[in-house]
C-alpha cells in the first residue's frame, strides 16, 4: 500500500546518512499508507526508549497526515485535541514524524525519527522525506 | 548490545536476496542481544499479519536462545511447556526464528522471518544467519 | 498482605542456593497474598524470556492456590479449564509455581521459577517454599 | 548484559538500608543494560501502586540514560517532549529513577524507587547507585 520497500529503504538510507553527518544516534522507522512498519533501523548505541517512539511518530504522522509536531500544538491542556495521545495504543505528538507524499500529493507513508533533540529528530526525518518525496 | 546495525543489515540483505530467489514475500526482523528491534524490512505485498509474527519470532529465538520451532515441540498439548506462548506479550513457537551467534558462540541477537510456509520462513532466516554467523 | 519481605527474601535465597548447586540459571519471583511481586532475582545469563514466566508462575500459583502444573492438567484440549491461560493477562500452567502456606495452612504468597526444564524449575521452587513453609 | 545480580543486590541492599534509616516504605527495582528486571524488593506495607512505578522508573532511566526527573522537565505541557509518557508501554518521568554507570562511564543498568515523596524516592535511589557506581 503506497510506499514501496525500495522507496522506504532510500528514505532510511538518506536519513541515516544525515544522522551520521550530524553525529547523532537515531532510530528511524518508515510506515506505509496503512501505517504498517515497512523498514526500520536502530543505529548502534541509540537510546533504547527511542525505538518505540520512532515507530509511534511514523504511525502518528500517517494516522493524521500531518507532521507530528502540528498535532502536538492541539493536544496541549485546553487545546481542542487535549490528550489525544491516549488513542491508537499511544501517539507521539512532538516533532520527528512526517508524512511522505507522491507526485500527486497523496500520502503514501510516513517516517519517524527519535534519538536526539526534537529539532535534530525533525531534521533527520526531513532528509528522509526529501530523498523520495514526489516520486 | 551484541549485534551491530551493520551486521543486522547484512543478515537482512542476505535473507531478502534468498526470498527473491525463492519467489516469496517476507517480513524480516533482526533483534539485538536485549531482544530489541535493530533492523526490519517488509517486502512489497507481503502479508500484513506476518509483520508482528516476524518480530515475535526474532524475540522468541533470543528469549530462549534456540530456534523457535524447537520451543514449539514442547509447547504442544500435553507437552512440558504447553501454552508458553501466553508469556512475554506473545511468543511465536513455529519455525522461522533463529538465534545468531558470534565467533565465541555467544548469542548476539536473532532473526525472525514470516510470509510463506514455515519451511520457507526457516530457509530465509537461515540465509540471514549464515551471512554473519560466527563473525 | 501475607508474606513478609524477610520471608520472601529467605525463600529466594534458598531457591538461589539450590539453583547454584544444580548448575542452572534461574529467574525467581515471590508474590504476596495479593499476588503482587514482593521480591525477585534474575541470575546472570538466565534466559530473558523466563523473567516474565517466573512472575506469571508465581501469580498463577496464588491466583488458584495450587501448583501451576496441577492447573495445566485441566487446561489441555478437551479439559475442563481449556485455555484458561488467556485470563489475567496471561497465565503459565506448567510446573515451577507453588503456593506458600503459613503454620495455619493459609496461603500467604507464592513462588515462581523459570530458566531450565520444568522439573528443575519445580525443584528450585520447592527449595524456596521449604525454607519458610509453615512459619 | 551490563550489571550483575551481585551488583544489583548490593544496590538494592544499600537503598533498602537507607529507606529503613529514613523510616519510609519503598519498592526498589534494578534493571540491566537491556532494561530487563534484575532484582526487586517491596518493603512490608509499601504502597501497592508503587510496585509498577518503581519498575517503570528504572526502565525509563535506562531507556534514555538520564535521571527520570530530567526527562520530566521536558515532558510538561508546552515542553519539547510533552506526553512522551505514552511510549514504551508507559514511562514515569518524575524523580526516583537513576542510571548506573561502570568505571568507564558506560550505563550498565538503572535503579527505580517509589513509595514516598519524590525527594525521598530520589534519595533512596541515590544510595543504591552510590553503593556500586563506578565498579
Amino acid at each position: 500500500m503506497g510506499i514501496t520497500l525500495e522507496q522506504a529503504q532510500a528514505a532510511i538510507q538518506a536519513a541515516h546518512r544525515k544522522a551520521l553527518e550530524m553525529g547523532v544516534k537515531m532510530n528511524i522507522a518508515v510506515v506505509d499508507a496503512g501505517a504498517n512498519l515497512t523498514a526500520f533501523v536502530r543505529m548502534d548505541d541509540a537510546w533504547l526508549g527511542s525505538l518505540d517512539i520512532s515507530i509511534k511518530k511514523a504511525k502518528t504522522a500517517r494516522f493524521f497526515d500531518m507532521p507530528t509536531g502540528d498535532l502536538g500544538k492541539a493536544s496541549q491542556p485546553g487545546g481542542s485535541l487535549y490528550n489525544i495521545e491516549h488513542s491508537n495504543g499511544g501517539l507521539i505528538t512532538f516533532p520527528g514524524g512526517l508524512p511522505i507524499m507522491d507526485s500527486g500529493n497523496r500520502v503514501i507513508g510516513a517516517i519517524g525519527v527519535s534519538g536526539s533533540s526534537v529539532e535534530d529528530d525533525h531534521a533527520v526525518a526531513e532528509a528522509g522525506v526529501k530523498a523520495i518525496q514526489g516520486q
Side-chain angles (χ1 to χ4, degrees), chain A:
Chain A
M1 280 175 296
I3 202 166
T4 62
L5 175 55
E6 200 181 329
Q7 289 175 307
Q9 287 183 310
I12 282 192
Q13 198 172 18
H16 188 179
R17 203 180 306 121
K18 179 74 175 176
L20 288 170
E21 277 171 33
M22 294 170 64
V24 290
K25 296 164 182 171
M26 296 297 196
N27 292 261
I28 309 168
V30 172
V31 299
D32 66 11
N36 299 295
L37 193 64
T38 302
F40 172 83
V41 302
R42 180 157 46 89
M43 294 171 68
D44 297 339
D45 302 316
W47 281 331
L48 278 180
S50 282
L51 194 177
D52 182 57
I53 292 175
S54 67
I55 295 175
K56 282 191 164 59
K57 280 183 181 174
K59 291 191 177 205
T60 301
R62 169 53 184 147
F63 283 156
F64 301 98
D65 293 345
M66 64 178 75
T68 49
D70 287 8
L71 200 63
K73 287 173 195 159
S75 71
Q76 300 295 321
S80 58
L81 304 178
Y82 174 57
N83 267 349
I84 191 173
E85 293 84 359
H86 286 268
S87 68
N88 295 287
L91 299 177
I92 291 293
T93 60
F94 45 82
L98 292 172
I100 300 172
M101 265 78 82
D102 66 9
S103 57
N105 216 31
R106 274 173 313 205
V107 178
I108 56 170
I111 187 167
V113 176
S114 180
S116 181
S117 68
V118 293
E119 290 79 14
D120 287 353
D121 293 354
H122 179 83
V124 169
E126 213 166 31
V129 171
K130 275 187 185 151
I132 60 162
Q133 183 88 286
Q135 288 185 346

